Amino acid sequence: MIVNIAFCFDCVKNKIYWKYAATTIIQMLSKSSTENEYHIYCITDDSYDWSNFITNIKSNVKSTNWEINKISSKLAFADGLHDSKIKKISAATYIRLEIPELLPNVDKVAYFDCDVYFNCDVAEYFSLELGNAYFSAVIDTQSLQFLDGKRELGDKTYFSKFKDSEYKCAGVMLINNLALRKENMLAKFIEFSKSNFLPKHDQTILNCVCRGRTIQNPLGYGLFNHSSNFKEYLKHAEDVFGVDKKTLISTIKNYKILHMINKPWNRKKISLTKRYISDKYYKEWNKIYNSITS
């Protein structure tokens, strides 16, 4: 099986971000199977040494059934993001919205941020069914916090438009490129960005424009690692995730893909719930990171 995978990043605000991307790709490929072919697309810029990026990955990966392609972004949003609050993140986050157009010969792709840890073969995630949905992802627990009255992100009506399981996290997604291209969704994304409140940047655009045609992925395929998220998971075990707490805890302990939202390169800021999962993933991720040469 051919497994299509996409990463979007640049090094404009962080000169060593390429090392984070390389680390995550190496760790992902360490779980790969010889039965599959892994086609990796890095949608990125020219602010770092691409040849060194590839050399580091090749020197740390034993398997050969993979290829990496560099794709230059057209940055359709570059001339007017209409988002004055984009400070802590790079504008490259908006590249995710362009993936279907940038990969015209790829009909389905698994997208990942660079702060992801794989506890399974990524082919397992790629094999999930999309049907007619534009994309599938796990629920963003910040929306649960809003629904509980604990959090407000500017516009009080923003999350009120969504049901408990509708608002998804864009950091780990399975994307239906074919459907998004067919219905010219990029133009709709751009139009929406010009006149709407974007508290979560491109994630807001994806959720609002694609609302009604998304799928909630099983929690194990994009589990957040912050302790506050675990509290929300358990509180909403039955009403949002449709299982009892015991079953949900088992899912947490046996996660498939971990979204390290506190960033593995900011270890001092980590807030973990070791009662459910150990920090072995941080140790493995950082071991790979430390093996990469600049």
Side-chain angles (χ1 to χ4, degrees), residues 217-230:
N217 279 341
L219 181 60
Y221 294 105
L223 182 76
F224 289 168
N225 70 323
H226 196 283
S227 60
S228 65
N229 297 113
F230 284 85

Side-chain angles (χ1 to χ4, degrees), residues 170-186:
V172 176
M173 292 189 294
L174 201 55
I175 305 174
N176 190 339
N177 283 357
L178 182 63
L180 289 166
R181 281 195 302 267
K182 185 178 180 180
E183 299 183 33
N184 195 24
M185 294 298 284
L186 179 57

Side-chain angles (χ1 to χ4, degrees), residues 1 3-5 28-29 31-33 36 38 110 112 118 120-127 257:
M1 177 175 66
V3 182
N4 300 310
I5 306 148
M28 176 188 73
L29 290 173
K31 304 288 185 179
S32 64
S33 167
N36 303 310
Y38 301 85
F112 302 102
F118 297 86
C120 70
D121 182 350
V122 66
E124 181 180 330
Y125 179 68
F126 183 77
S127 297
I257 298 173

Side-chain angles (χ1 to χ4, degrees), residues 218-220 223 243 246-256:
L219 181 60
L223 182 76
V243 296
K246 184 177 180 180
T247 301
L248 192 64
I249 289 173
S250 177
T251 297
I252 291 172
K253 289 182 176 180
N254 297 286
Y255 66 87
K256 302 288 188 176

